[in-house]
Amino acid sequence: MEYPALYLKRGEDARLRAGHLWVFSNEVDVARSPLGDFAPGDVVAIVDHRGKAIGIGYVNPNSLIAARLVVRGLAHPFDRSLIVHRLNVALALREQLYAEPYYRLVFGESDGLPGLTLDRFGDVVVGQITTAGMERQKDAITDAVVKVLAPRQLWWKNDAGIRAMEQLPEYADLGYGNHTDEGSGGEVVAREGGLEFGIDPVGGQKTGWFYDQRENRDALARFVTGKRVLDMFSYLGGWGIRAAAYGAREVDCVDASAPAVEATRRNVERNGLANRVNAVRADAFEHLKALREARERYDVVILDPPAFIKRRKDFKEGSLAYRRLNELGMQVLARDGILVTCSCSHHMPRQALVDGVQQGARHLDRQVQMLISLQQAPDHPVHPAIPETDYLKGHILRVLPA
């Protein structure tokens, strides 16, 4: 194998040897390997300052993360065969975890394929590529997915804003299969907790469904039977519809997106829960204020917002938003109510989320009991050397008068 070398400065190989996969632009020895000599997505051998190869990766001279390591050592090329192998390794875990083929199949760096996400919905796969290196491998990835899974369709949902950092275009289209395929009625469905949720692989959020909260939604069972439940930022109704299936007597699902609210209504009908679940379009903060003023009370309030902190510099403003949201949520809780609060912001430490809840509780002269800590589902495995893969945190809490 002959790959051009990307040389690192002295001492800049330590993080890679400890298990991380990223090379930042200021770690590259540009005197020996000028970044301008590479095109975005070029496959390279990543080499330390002594000339010893660490492994094979890909480069993007236009990105702060200048390279990502894919293969350690030089024994195996970065090609379709490697991708097939990594898919099979990832698949073995998911088949051990879940009885049905509905899960996140590939979670980027944690599954040895940095820049690639694949979600499986039965015989449909929805993928997202966020790096130039993986974009260059798109045909090989498609071939590998077809070989390993033989799906009816593979959709590419490559419209994430993070692609702009890699100077990649945004698009969403069908990568494999036919638009008019009649299998499964041509509809893409997520199955979770014995329920079905119709998703939109092109117009939906991210890859269409949030499998990362599956086990956390499982935990609702002990808290919602016979209760009145409020599901904020409900998207397609995952939390709220599952609460109704567990026996909640009344559920309000609230989202600011009109298409999401309509999709929730369809999912409610699909699962035969229309008599217990309402879908409401409203801004979360304004709706919670209106509920507070109307003295509405819920036994369980679920807060699963989008990331309020997308960059480290947004921490102060974002953490304040989490505190305000949780304080509003507590204000519409019935006595001894249950608060489910989550954050998918990598830059929001778990303890900072707890601190915001506690500060809000004290401001309202209440106390909280932490019952269950929440994290991402095991089909989103955390890479212990890559903190960025550990992003989802949350808690189920009981809120009491002081």
Side-chain angles (χ1 to χ4, degrees), residues 31 37 125 131 138 240:
D37 288 353
V125 176
T131 61
K138 191 172 78 165

Side-chain angles (χ1 to χ4, degrees), residues 292-312:
R292 178 189 64 193
E293 291 167 7
R295 298 187 179 275
E296 295 282 354
R297 295 292 181 267
Y298 292 84
D299 304 295
V300 180
V301 171
I302 300 161
L303 305 174
D304 184 16
F308 289 158
I309 308 172
K310 295 187 177 180
R311 298 166 297 181
R312 191 181 302 276

